[in-house]
Amino acid sequence: MGIERWLDYISFGETGTGGCSNGDSLIHCVRAAWNLDSEDFRVSLLKHEAQHAMDQVRYKDITNKELEYRAKLVELIYCKERRMLERFVSQADATRADNGHGLSAEHIVRGFEICLKKDRGRLAGLPIETVQTVARSLFAESCKEMAA
């Protein structure tokens, strides 16, 4: 049983990842955690984890921070119904080197601050099209950095 299922099991369904890609090129999903017709499932599980799977094959030495950064950017590129940037602003945390999610969210927030010349307090409420455009730009920049 994978860690995502153990977390769900030991917490009586109160916590768990809902799914993961662990380097085997498969996306593992806890079915009960998702509405399969939702954007949340299509974007935050399928597209996010598919990006992980692709990056793990393409870039053998990719760090957890880089994996999460690129997958979160993919979420921002495809998300139309939810305010994911605001979520990433609240998750941003550069204080723990072992927290790939917090570090990647911080990297995204800094990228948006630089691109838009706004501080993080003014990123809430941006039009989805603006978020998607900036996320595409940051992702393209990341692709160039990974290829170098």
Side-chain angles (χ1 to χ4, degrees):
M1 182 180 290
I3 187 70
E4 68 281 350
R5 293 180 61 203
W6 275 113
L7 286 170
D8 184 69
Y9 176 76
I10 65 173
S11 68
F12 300 103
E14 292 298 316
T15 190
T17 63
C20 68
S21 173
N22 59 5
D24 59 5
S25 297
L26 298 174
I27 297 172
H28 304 274
C29 173
V30 177
R31 168 64 180 93
W34 300 98
N35 169 354
L36 301 184
D37 295 323
S38 69
E39 180 184 83
D40 192 31
F41 175 73
R42 289 187 313 274
V43 175
S44 291
L45 179 71
L46 293 181
K47 290 187 186 301
H48 180 105
E49 296 301 334
Q51 187 63 48
H52 282 338
M54 189 170 76
D55 284 344
Q56 288 168 331
V57 169
R58 195 177 276 170
Y59 310 112
K60 298 296 182 198
D61 296 325
I62 193 166
T63 67
N64 188 31
K65 175 188 169 188
E66 292 166 328
L67 273 172
E68 288 304 328
Y69 175 70
R70 291 169 55 78
K72 287 178 188 305
L73 287 173
V74 166
E75 286 186 72
L76 292 172
I77 290 166
Y78 289 99
C79 189
K80 295 179 182 174
E81 299 170 4
R82 297 166 300 135
R83 311 291 299 168
M84 294 303 295
L85 181 58
E86 285 89 342
R87 181 174 166 188
F88 296 153
V89 168
S90 71
Q91 292 174 349
D93 180 5
T95 63
R96 288 187 37 220
D98 64 335
N99 180 359
H101 285 276
L103 292 171
S104 63
E106 180 67 30
H107 192 176
I108 287 170
V109 172
R110 286 186 185 158
F112 270 80
E113 288 176 322
I114 291 166
C115 286
L116 298 174
K117 296 175 179 47
K118 295 180 180 217
D119 66 39
R120 66 190 62 211
R122 295 179 47 220
L123 296 178
L126 291 173
I128 294 294
E129 297 79 16
T130 300
V131 172
Q132 291 173 323
T133 298
V134 173
R136 278 189 207 96
S137 174
L138 294 173
F139 189 83
E141 186 178 308
S142 174
C143 289
K144 289 177 190 172
E145 292 170 2
M146 297 301 290

